[in-house]
Amino acid sequence: MNVLQSTSEKEKNYYTNDDTLHKILELMLDEDLLDYAKRELHDFGELVANEIDERAKHTDREGEPRLKRYNQYGEEISEVWVNEGYKKTIQQTYNTGIVGYVHKEIPQLGKKGNYVYSFAQGYLLSHAEPGFYCPVTLTMATAYLLDHYADEDVKSRFLSHVCSTGEVELFEGATFLTERQGGSDVGANVVEARFDGENYRLYGEKYFASNAGMCGVAMVLARREGAATGSKGLTLFAVPWKKEDGSVNGLRIRRLKDKLGVRAVPSGEVEFDGALAYVVGDPDKGIYYMLEALNLSRICNAIASVGIMRRAYLEAKHYVSNRNAFGQVLTNYPMIQDSLAKFAAKLHVEVATTFDLIQLYDAVSNGEATEKDVILNRLNIAIMKKETAEQAVKYASEAIELHGGNGYIEDFVTPRLLRDAQVLTVWEGTANILALELIRLFKKFDAHQLFINEMTSRLDAIKSSNLKGIVIEKVRSLEEDLNLFSTLDDAMQTFEAKEVAKKMALVYESVVAIEWADHYGGKYEKLAEIYLEDQWQLRKLGDNSKTLQYFREII
């Protein structure tokens, strides 16, 4: 065992040393956008690691949003107070084009950006402020729905504001789905849309409405009079928070939720009492539109997860590299080396796989994908949203453990990482809901066969990896499991689906891991070896571990 004496410096820019992200951008962006992205992400990475991180700590501990229901005259205003630092973070983040440049031209380039670039920004932001990335996510979903489905009148009212980069007033977005009686069962929703002869007015309540009081426009599912029951009877509406005269648009915030984490985002119970609403798209397709937005939000959820994972890794690495115990720096102990190396390997592979699905999502959202791609896109999002969310909680928890007692103290960022990570397993669909999505895709589209064919095709394209045989064996084993799964009755499928989703995520990640090993070699081959050894439990008791062999080279 080599004795280490060097210490680890605290990261002052979350972009600079992220080699995986650098290579992702080089693989996925054209030359002009790549040059632009490198400059912008360098500046944003520094901003997030310093100013935004300091503000995030203040918002979490002392400056969380507060509801102001009435003004000095006793009139109901349902305003949400946020601290000045949070407002600054809002301005700085949206002005980067994190939402806008997916839908409009970047002035310096004369063309639009894409989701790969936007999610690279979101990934960096989530190192420090995954709570605020929720409003960004909701604004991204709002922009998507308006751009793809709204008529020209509704677009002209809202889209330029939702996509603002400072030239017009910003309207943050929101998507209000959840009602008390339904939860994930959106078909049970009862919020009404009544036509008054000229406009639709909404009546009812949304029980978990994130970005309440901060959004300029919310995308809301409601049921028109005489519409069918269930989810297919829901229409999508764009609902401005305020009227043109500045008064509240028939909306009331009953209360803000007292959440475990992600305190930066105000989540509330919102009542509609005649709120003016504009139909978006075909009135009979509201649920389909919102499900498309939900898939986008699930990718955002995965991005927040990998952002938390990397921050947890960086904090743990810094701490154990500068902490002595029993006469040695902690990184001289094999168990610490093992933990850090496994951290690094899973993190690299998970970031690479998440952006792999984002590249496909860019093609799907632009209408440039095949029917097979659309199905695989939905499947990949479901399995990776589940996997990344669970890993974010695991990483945050293990970072606390590596800090020892200090990791449990709010002076350090680790408690907030754990609190913020925990919601990611719930937001945009729990593991159970994602498992049901898996079953639907299998039954309706034979998505399991498409997945196996895709993984096999990608493995065939790998020329010279020593690790290829391991993954081929895992794909064959998964194929047997999936064939058996398809013969089970409904009850057994729902029972087994989460475990099947886990195996599919690991196979997908394993294929990406050895693609990187084949393409880049060196450090990335070693990371792939560690990943496969750890995730598939290939090492036997007493065998030499790849984590110890390669520690110096990869950490």
Side-chain angles (χ1 to χ4, degrees):
M1 180 179 65
N2 294 321
V3 176
L4 303 177
Q5 299 297 337
S6 60
T7 58
S8 169
E9 293 293 325
K10 195 83 168 176
E11 291 285 335
K12 297 178 181 177
N13 187 323
Y14 292 136
Y15 173 75
T16 305
N17 296 317
D18 194 334
D19 294 337
T20 300
L21 180 59
H22 295 173
K23 285 182 166 50
I24 286 168
L25 299 174
E26 291 163 5
L27 283 168
M28 298 183 183
L29 300 184
D30 64 44
E31 187 176 352
D32 289 343
L33 184 53
L34 175 62
D35 289 343
Y36 175 84
K38 283 180 176 178
R39 296 192 302 271
E40 293 296 312
L41 292 172
H42 179 276
D43 292 346
F44 193 54
E46 183 177 4
L47 186 67
V48 172
N50 295 282
E51 288 183 37
I52 289 178
D53 190 47
E54 282 299 312
R55 296 181 203 137
K57 181 178 180 181
H58 171 70
T59 297
D60 177 71
R61 301 297 295 158
E62 299 167 343
E64 63 187 289
R66 300 169 201 158
L67 175 60
K68 183 179 178 182
R69 287 195 61 177
Y70 304 99
N71 65 14
Q72 64 268 40
Y73 300 106
E75 299 165 334
E76 190 152 22
I77 55 174
S78 281
E79 288 184 356
V80 173
W81 174 91
V82 295
N83 68 70
E84 292 301 314
Y86 183 82
K87 291 178 183 178
K88 186 70 173 176
T89 295
I90 289 174
Q91 177 193 18
Q92 290 176 327
T93 300
Y94 285 107
N95 284 358
T96 67
I98 193 170
V99 174
Y101 290 153
V102 175
H103 302 277
K104 67 181 184 181
E105 290 185 353
I106 301 171
Q108 297 93 317
L109 301 182
K111 63 181 180 182
K112 294 179 182 179
N114 59 20
Y115 279 111
V116 169
Y117 173 49
S118 173
F119 282 123
Q121 294 170 294
Y123 166 62
L124 295 178
L125 177 63
S126 297
H127 283 56
E129 188 54 291
F132 171 59
Y133 192 49
C134 172
V136 173
T137 295
L138 298 172
T139 308
M140 289 174 69
T142 300
Y144 176 92
L145 292 168
L146 291 170
D147 197 12
H148 282 76
Y149 299 115
D151 62 29
E152 290 306 315
D153 176 62
V154 175
K155 275 187 187 179
S156 66
R157 288 176 184 274
F158 302 119
L159 187 58
S160 64
H161 293 283
V162 172
C163 293
S164 175
T165 49
E167 67 285 347
V168 296
E169 181 186 1
L170 172 69
F171 287 1
E172 285 193 276
T175 55
F176 294 168
L177 283 80
T178 308
E179 298 181 18
R180 270 192 290 182
Q181 73 286 346
S184 297
D185 181 8
V186 179
N189 284 7
V190 297
V191 167
E192 293 181 81
R194 303 175 192 166
F195 193 65
D196 66 5
E198 294 184 5
N199 300 293
Y200 277 100
R201 304 279 177 177
L202 300 194
Y203 298 86
E205 172 202 346
K206 295 293 181 180
Y207 191 64
F208 204 104
S210 286
N211 216 27
M214 293 298 295
C215 61
V217 59
M219 310 305 288
V220 183
L221 287 177
R223 200 177 304 277
R224 292 171 298 141
E225 294 173 285
T229 59
S231 60
K232 292 182 180 179
L234 297 171
T235 298
L236 182 64
F237 293 90
V239 183
W241 193 263
K242 293 185 177 181
K243 302 175 185 177
E244 292 184 2
D245 64 6
S247 61
V248 180
N249 174 32
L251 295 159
R252 178 183 303 110
I253 301 175
R254 180 186 295 145
R255 62 173 177 168
L256 295 182
K257 305 287 192 181
D258 186 8
K259 304 191 300 294
L260 173 68
V262 289
R263 293 173 177 166
V265 53
S267 301
E269 298 167 15
V270 175
E271 297 176 350
F272 298 86
D273 186 15
L276 177 65
Y278 301 90
V279 173
V280 174
D282 185 333
D284 295 324
K285 293 185 177 179
I287 187 62
Y288 301 106
Y289 300 150
M290 195 64 98
L291 288 176
E292 285 189 37
L294 182 62
N295 267 331
L296 172 57
S297 297
R298 283 174 175 168
I299 302 175
C300 294
N301 200 99
I303 284 293
S305 295
V306 293
I308 287 176
M309 286 170 65
R310 185 162 184 263
R311 179 68 184 277
Y313 166 70
L314 292 174
E315 293 295 325
K317 176 185 171 185
H318 176 262
Y319 190 84
V320 299
S321 298
N322 293 279
R323 178 77 171 177
N324 288 300
F326 307 108
Q328 292 192 68
V329 66
L330 289 180
T331 45
N332 281 327
Y333 291 102
M335 66 283 283
I336 300 295
Q337 293 182 1
D338 181 64
S339 293
L340 281 185
K342 288 175 179 175
F343 253 38
K346 177 71 170 178
L347 173 63
H348 155 67
V349 174
E350 205 130 283
V351 171
T353 307
T354 301
F355 275 91
D356 184 82
L357 76 83
I358 290 167
Q359 187 175 35
L360 179 59
Y361 181 77
D362 254 323
V364 169
S365 64
N366 288 330
E368 300 168 355
T370 65
E371 184 178 350
K372 182 194 81 169
D373 290 335
V374 172
I375 297 164
L376 284 174
N377 174 63
R378 283 178 59 184
L379 180 65
N380 292 343
I381 290 170
I383 62 178
M384 289 307 298
K385 187 276 181 185
K386 174 182 177 296
E387 178 66 13
T388 53
E390 291 170 356
Q391 290 300 314
V393 176
K394 179 181 177 181
Y395 267 57
S397 178
E398 193 157 348
I400 288 175
E401 186 174 343
L402 287 169
H403 279 69
N406 279 334
Y408 205 66
I409 305 302
E410 294 282 357
D411 291 343
F412 291 80
V413 72
T414 40
R416 176 160 61 89
L417 293 179
L418 182 59
R419 288 188 281 104
D420 286 355
Q422 188 62 68
V423 78
L424 297 172
T425 63
V426 177
W427 272 351
E428 320 306 344
T430 64
N432 290 326
I433 294 298
L434 296 167
L436 294 177
E437 169 78 343
L438 198 78
I439 294 169
R440 279 193 296 269
L441 292 170
F442 285 12
K443 287 183 174 180
K444 191 171 182 179
F445 303 109
D446 288 328
H448 51 305
Q449 292 297 336
L450 296 178
F451 180 82
I452 291 296
N453 293 342
E454 177 70 10
M455 295 300 103
T456 301
S457 175
R458 290 174 66 160
L459 285 171
D460 289 343
I462 296 172
K463 299 174 184 176
S464 59
S465 174
N466 297 327
L467 306 172
K468 186 174 175 178
I470 297 171
V471 183
I472 289 174
E473 178 188 332
K474 298 304 176 185
V475 172
R476 288 173 180 163
S477 175
L478 176 64
E479 185 175 18
E480 291 176 5
D481 288 346
L482 292 177
N483 288 336
L484 174 60
F485 181 82
S486 66
T487 68
L488 301 177
D489 61 31
D490 290 348
M492 279 305 292
Q493 283 190 339
T494 57
F495 177 75
E496 298 284 3
K498 285 190 287 187
E499 185 61 28
V500 167
K502 174 72 174 180
K503 290 179 180 177
M504 294 180 77
L506 294 186
V507 164
Y508 184 15
E509 291 183 355
S510 296
V511 170
V512 171
I514 63 170
E515 284 176 336
W516 277 64
D518 181 53
H519 188 71
Y520 293 110
K523 177 176 78 170
Y524 295 101
E525 186 165 9
K526 293 176 172 60
L527 287 167
E529 287 184 52
I530 292 171
Y531 174 86
L532 295 176
E533 179 182 89
D534 178 38
Q535 297 299 307
W536 296 110
Q537 300 179 345
L538 302 178
R539 191 182 74 85
K540 296 179 181 178
L541 185 66
D543 286 352
N544 237 350
S545 173
K546 306 292 186 187
T547 57
L548 305 186
Q549 290 180 52
Y550 300 150
F551 180 77
R552 290 292 295 264
E553 296 171 74
I554 66 170
I555 302 297

